[in-house]
């Protein structure tokens, strides 16, 4: 039970776990107990705040919300509400042998009956004061040792904000919301070398390292969050990984780990003040805020979309853009090291299963705050001036192959419209559902949660001029509930592109298209690809540790064209000690693979970013020539910016 004293009232919430009758009882002297995740059963919600002083009795009404998993998939659950019940507790003596600490002068122990709506006894409730905090957790930190120019550097650990006058630390920040956060001592920081990664870490490499750092069953038995400090994360100041995939037998990291970039530089502009042009690790104020922000996501908090937001869950790009937030002050001066009142309430009183690592998956789209028995949510406000066109790259796709969908956001008004800088699936602005011949709706969204991007003005997106449009594409295979296209037949794909405006309202538009899944020549191979959760990771993240998952698709003549691009993307990017193999990647792509506009853009960027010798390789030049020929023969399914990039390639 959690009891918060606020303005003379007691705000009460709690969680119940199964515990064997013959098992060891929690020891009050050890502080807040931590029970196994799999034993979670009920959330206790009270509908009233009784007086904080106890005279004759403490009386309050409560509801029990039973948490029921409906499958091993952590996304499949439901809350079952029962009640109301009435608890009447009075001061009592603790049972013999149970030594409760003083609170703060003498032990405080309450016991009494619980009755149902008909005033019939249903049980007994006892509470004993344990400590002043409402929750406890620990943070594990690991950092990279980087050898550069003959010297050795280490990614800085964001211990605090570096301000002696107004020092903010992990414990001072979380004390305000009733959390006892235990940090490792400086000598307990895990350190490891880059191992050929270079300065930039992509999602696949981070995911593999985070899996290496986690001890077996840690998530299920402890409240432990991981923070990984690396030199650079591709395109991000920091990110928190969600469950990446939903099948527990493969990945058990829902909301457990986050990463921050220490060597990316902040913008070299006056509004960045003391952080101007500095590496993140050298600018402690925004660097520490990013670490808090990403761990906040790991605790189940979504972005703060309030106008002029300045607190921990605000995105860095919003702090950069929002001149109305403390006008005249620089970005570091605007930052407040505290949570909003609403987020503070969530950290104090949300169900354990929502905030503890390994509990409910993190997803603003699928699991808004309104899904928890504590607060209300909001709906989508459709933008009249925007039109979303959705169409498949191929109208027919064989069973077992990923389905590529194009979508174009068009400005139909006479004025420019400001959009998020990134409208790709990974941005979190795009989600959707697939409805098959069985009429079952299967949802999908990005597997990346949650990123703190460097720039919000990249194309497509940003400022959309009148009459102009932004094209992007996605590759779909699996969602939270498994395969999105689990059998042959006709499917409808619905997409929503949405974002928060300055008032915090979710704005956007929706569109849909259809695609036909045809029978596979080798049905067993197709079913294996759809059933393997690693296939999604290979398609979305890449990484050598996932390469075997798509091998059945590469070995199948019918499915191979649909998976070649995934294998080429893996080869074209270095992975730990393996160097990028651009020639081999381009050779694969000479075999006429299925490629969306976004995928063509990716391989064009890989060629563009390679060294001169690699770009002049005959195989690379031949691919460049074929890409140019391809773009000259197509129009609607390739973005103008992609076309321009490809036409500038050598060859």
């Amino acid at each position: 039970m959690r009891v918060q004293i606020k303005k003379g009232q007691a705000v009460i919430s709690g969680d119940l776990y199964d515990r064997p009758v013959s098992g060891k009882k929690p020891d009050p002297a050890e502080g807040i107990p931590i029970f196994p995740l799999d034993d979670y059963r009920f959330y206790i919600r009270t509908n009233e705040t009784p007086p904080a002083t106890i005279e004759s009795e403490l009386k309050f009404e409560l509801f029990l919300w039973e948490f029921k998993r409906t499958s091993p998939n952590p996304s499949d659950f439901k809350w079952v509400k029962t009640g109301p019940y009435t608890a009447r507790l009075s001061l009592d003596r603790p049972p013999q042998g149970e030594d409760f600490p003083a609170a703060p002068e003498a032990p405080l122990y309450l016991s009494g009956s619980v009755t149902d709506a008909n005033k019939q006894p249903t049980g007994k409730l006892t509470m004993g004061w344990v400590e002043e905090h409402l929750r406890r957790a620990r943070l594990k930190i690991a950092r990279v040792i980087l050898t550069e120019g003959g010297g050795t550097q280490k990614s800085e650990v964001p211990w605090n904000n570096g301000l002696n006058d107004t020092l903010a630390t992990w414990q001072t920040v979380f004390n305000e919301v009733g959390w006892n956060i235990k940090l490792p001592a400086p000598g307990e920081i895990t350190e490891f070398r880059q191992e050929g990664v270079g300065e930039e870490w992509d999602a696949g490499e981070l995911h593999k390292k985070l899996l290496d750092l986690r001890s077996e069953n840690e998530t299920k038995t402890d409240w432990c969050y991981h923070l990984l400090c690396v030199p650079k994360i591709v395109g991000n100041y920091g990110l928190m990984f969600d469950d990446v995939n939903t099948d527990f037998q493969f990945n058990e990291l829902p909301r457990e780990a986050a990463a921050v970039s220490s060597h990316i530089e902040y913008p070299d502009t006056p509004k960045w003040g003391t952080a101007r042009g500095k590496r993140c690790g050298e600018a402690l104020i925004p660097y520490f805020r990013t670490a808090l922000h990403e761990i906040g996501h790991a605790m189940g908090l979504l972005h703060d979309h309030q106008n002029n937001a300045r607190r921990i869950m605000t995105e860095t790009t919003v702090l950069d853009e929002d001149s109305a937030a403390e006008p005249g002050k620089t970005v570091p001066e605007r930052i407040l090291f505290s949570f909003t009142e609403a987020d503070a309430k969530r950290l104090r009183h949300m169900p354990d299963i929502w905030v503890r690592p390994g509990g409910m998956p993190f997803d603003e789209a699928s699991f808004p705050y309104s899904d928890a028995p504590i607060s209300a949510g909001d709906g989508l406000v459709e933008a009249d001036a925007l039109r979303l066109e959705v169409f498949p790259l191929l109208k027919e796709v064989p069973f077992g192959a990923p389905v590529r969908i194009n979508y174009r956001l068009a400005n139909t008004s006479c004025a420019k419209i400001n959009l998020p800088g990134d409208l790709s699936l990974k941005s979190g602005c795009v989600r959707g559902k697939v409805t098959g011949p069985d009429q079952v709706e299967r949802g999908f969204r990005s597997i990346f949660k949650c990123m703190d991007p460097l720039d919000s003005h990249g194309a497509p997106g940003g400022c959309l001029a009148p009459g102009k449009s932004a094209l992007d594409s996605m590759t779909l295979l699996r969602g939270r509930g498994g395969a999105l296209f689990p059998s042959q037949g006709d499917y409808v794909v619905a997409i929503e592109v949405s974002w928060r405006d300055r008032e915090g309202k979710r704005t956007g538009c929706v569109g849909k298209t259809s695609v036909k899944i045809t029978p596979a020549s080798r049905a067993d191979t197709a079913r294996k690809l759809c059933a393997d959760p690693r296939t999604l990771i290979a398609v979305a993240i890449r990484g050598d540790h996932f390469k075997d998952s798509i091998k059945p698709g590469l070995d199948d003549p019918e499915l191979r064209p649909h998976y070649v691009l995934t294998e080429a993307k893996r080869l074209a990017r270095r992975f730990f000690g393996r160097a990028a193999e651009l020639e081999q990647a381009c050779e694969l792509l000479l075999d006429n693979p299925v490629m969306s506009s976004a995928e063509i853009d990716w391989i064009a960027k890989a060629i563009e970013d390679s060294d001169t010798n690699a770009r002049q390789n005959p195989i690379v030049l031949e691919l460049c020539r074929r890409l140019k020929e391809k773009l000259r023969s197509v129009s609607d399914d390739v973005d103008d910016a992609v076309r321009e990039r490809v036409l500038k390639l050598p060859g």
Side-chain angles (χ1 to χ4, degrees):
M1 298 293 291
R2 293 174 293 274
V3 181
Q4 174 198 3
I5 306 303
K6 184 177 181 181
K7 296 181 180 179
Q9 302 294 112
V11 182
I12 304 172
S13 65
D15 298 274
L16 299 179
Y17 292 76
D18 272 345
R19 185 172 60 83
V21 176
S22 59
K24 179 185 176 182
K25 291 184 177 181
D27 185 353
E30 295 178 356
I32 300 171
I34 293 178
F35 299 103
L37 176 66
D38 290 342
D39 292 343
Y40 186 82
R41 291 298 177 268
F42 293 94
Y43 173 68
I44 299 175
R45 175 183 177 177
T46 58
N47 276 5
E48 55 189 347
T49 53
T53 56
I54 302 173
E55 296 179 359
S56 59
E57 68 174 7
L58 175 65
K59 176 185 174 183
F60 57 91
E61 184 180 81
L62 62 91
F63 289 85
L64 287 179
W65 293 69
E66 185 177 6
F67 182 79
K68 290 189 173 183
R69 293 199 184 278
T70 55
S71 84
N73 186 324
S75 300
D76 296 337
F77 64 87
K78 61 181 179 179
W79 290 103
V80 179
K81 177 184 175 183
T82 59
Y85 303 96
T86 301
R88 290 180 173 84
L89 309 181
S90 57
L91 293 171
D92 200 352
R93 291 180 177 274
Q96 188 173 0
E98 294 188 18
D99 297 325
F100 283 83
E105 298 177 355
L108 176 61
Y109 188 84
L110 302 167
S111 68
S113 63
V114 178
T115 56
D116 61 18
N118 297 319
K119 299 184 179 180
Q120 296 299 309
T122 59
K124 183 179 181 180
L125 178 63
T126 61
M127 297 192 304
W129 190 91
V130 174
E131 66 162 272
E132 61 183 354
H133 294 100
L134 302 176
R135 285 183 159 122
R136 71 179 173 102
R138 62 192 180 102
L139 184 67
K140 281 189 172 181
I141 302 176
R143 67 173 174 179
V144 163
I145 301 175
L146 178 68
T147 302
E148 194 174 70
T152 299
Q153 297 183 31
K154 297 180 180 180
S155 289
E156 290 86 351
V157 174
W159 295 109
N160 54 58
N161 66 354
L163 297 175
N164 292 329
D165 294 338
T166 54
L167 185 66
T169 66
W170 289 90
Q171 196 57 72
T172 62
V173 170
F174 281 97
N175 265 337
E176 294 298 315
V177 293
W179 280 56
N180 181 2
I181 295 287
K182 181 181 179 182
L183 266 68
E188 296 173 338
I189 302 297
T190 300
E191 296 183 343
F192 55 92
R193 296 191 177 275
Q194 286 281 74
E195 299 176 354
V197 173
E199 278 196 337
E200 287 192 328
W201 288 67
D202 68 15
E205 291 160 338
L206 282 169
H207 179 73
K208 183 177 185 300
K209 179 55 66 176
L210 293 172
L211 287 175
D212 292 342
L213 292 173
R214 176 175 58 87
S215 62
E216 189 174 1
N217 291 325
E218 189 172 53
T219 304
K220 293 187 177 183
T221 58
D222 199 357
W223 282 49
C224 180
Y225 303 93
H226 292 260
L227 180 65
L228 182 57
C229 308
V230 302
K232 291 183 179 180
I233 303 168
V234 179
N236 289 283
Y237 291 118
L239 66 88
M240 187 279 291
F241 271 89
D242 189 14
D243 49 334
V244 187
N245 177 62
T246 55
D247 297 4
F248 261 141
Q249 70 268 24
F250 172 62
N251 179 22
E252 299 179 6
L253 281 173
R255 293 188 297 97
E256 187 189 40
V260 291
S261 298
S262 62
H263 281 56
I264 285 178
E265 294 179 354
Y266 290 115
D268 190 8
T269 59
K271 62 182 174 181
W272 275 86
T274 57
R276 178 178 181 175
K278 288 185 178 179
R279 290 193 301 102
C280 292
E282 296 174 329
L284 298 185
I285 297 174
Y287 187 50
F288 180 54
R289 191 210 68 87
T290 295
L292 291 169
H293 177 99
E294 299 304 335
I295 292 298
H297 284 314
M299 294 172 176
L301 295 181
L302 310 178
H303 279 136
D304 174 14
H305 297 287
Q306 295 183 38
N307 194 27
N308 297 336
R310 302 167 56 201
R311 299 184 188 273
I312 290 170
M313 297 314 297
T314 303
E315 292 178 274
T316 300
T317 51
V318 173
L319 287 168
D320 189 356
E321 297 168 356
D322 202 349
S323 59
E326 295 293 300
K329 289 191 175 182
T330 63
V331 172
E333 291 172 329
R334 293 175 191 161
I335 294 171
L336 295 177
F337 287 96
S338 59
F339 295 97
T340 64
E341 185 175 344
D343 281 344
K345 178 184 177 183
R346 291 168 184 133
L347 289 173
R348 293 181 183 117
H349 296 292
M350 274 287 206
D352 276 3
I353 201 72
W354 186 289
V355 298
R356 72 177 288 175
M360 285 176 52
F362 176 95
D363 185 6
E364 182 172 8
S366 300
F367 305 112
Y369 288 135
S370 56
D371 276 14
I374 189 171
S375 63
D378 60 355
L380 174 70
V381 178
E382 292 210 38
D384 295 333
L386 292 171
R387 182 180 71 253
L388 182 64
E389 303 169 359
V390 183
F391 51 100
L393 181 65
L394 299 176
K395 293 183 178 180
E396 294 188 357
V397 179
F399 175 45
V403 175
R404 290 164 169 89
I405 301 292
N406 293 321
Y407 52 100
R408 178 184 289 108
L409 198 60
N411 181 358
T412 61
S413 72
C414 298
K416 67 179 183 180
I417 297 177
N418 291 320
L419 303 176
D422 186 359
L423 293 177
S424 67
L425 182 61
K426 74 175 184 179
S427 70
C429 295
V430 181
R431 61 173 174 170
K433 61 184 178 182
V434 176
T435 305
D438 56 4
Q439 298 305 306
V440 174
E441 293 184 352
R442 299 172 174 89
F444 63 85
R445 53 86 170 162
S446 172
I447 64 175
F448 300 105
K449 291 290 179 182
C450 184
M451 301 184 294
D452 194 5
L454 303 179
D455 183 18
S456 64
H457 301 290
C463 181
L464 194 60
K468 296 295 184 179
S469 62
L471 176 73
D472 216 312
S473 53
M474 63 177 67
T475 302
L476 300 177
L477 185 67
R478 289 177 58 89
R480 285 189 172 277
L484 294 173
F485 307 92
S487 63
Q488 66 187 63
D490 295 322
Y491 288 80
V492 174
V493 180
I495 293 177
E496 175 189 301
V497 179
S498 62
W499 58 92
R500 298 280 181 173
D501 63 19
R502 288 296 186 211
E503 303 301 322
K505 295 179 180 178
R506 194 157 54 87
T507 304
C509 47
V510 296
K512 63 182 179 180
T513 189
S514 59
V515 64
K516 185 180 184 66
I517 303 300
T518 59
S521 300
R522 300 177 181 176
D524 289 345
T525 298
R527 280 192 289 268
K528 181 178 180 181
L529 287 163
C530 289
D532 189 346
R534 299 175 303 163
T535 311
L536 169 65
I537 314 300
V539 171
I541 294 182
R542 303 177 307 281
D544 290 2
H545 52 311
F546 303 125
K547 63 181 181 180
D548 291 341
S549 64
I550 65 167
K551 190 175 185 302
L554 292 170
D555 292 341
D556 185 294
E558 181 183 37
L559 298 177
R560 180 178 174 82
H562 301 270
Y563 283 99
V564 162
L565 190 282
T566 297
E567 176 66 2
K569 288 172 72 174
R570 181 188 71 82
L571 290 171
R573 188 168 182 84
R574 52 105 185 103
F575 190 79
F576 284 92
R578 178 183 63 77
E581 301 172 58
L582 185 62
E583 179 183 348
Q584 291 88 332
C586 290
E587 187 172 14
L588 280 175
L589 296 178
L590 293 177
D591 196 21
N592 195 30
V594 177
M595 291 191 292
S596 67
S597 175
E599 290 168 329
I600 293 173
D601 191 40
W602 194 97
I603 199 67
K605 285 179 181 177
I607 296 172
E608 189 178 73
D609 294 341
S610 62
D611 59 45
T612 303
N613 290 336
R615 288 197 297 272
Q616 295 304 314
N617 180 283
I619 293 176
V620 176
L621 290 173
E622 175 62 18
L623 178 64
C624 292
R625 186 184 66 79
R626 293 194 187 185
L627 287 176
K628 292 177 183 180
E629 287 182 358
K630 180 180 179 66
L631 294 196
R632 291 188 182 102
S633 63
V634 297
S635 56
D636 290 345
D637 56 354
V638 176
D639 185 72
D640 289 342
V642 177
R643 186 185 305 276
E644 183 179 352
R645 174 174 282 111
V646 171
L647 294 178
K648 288 181 179 179
L649 291 175

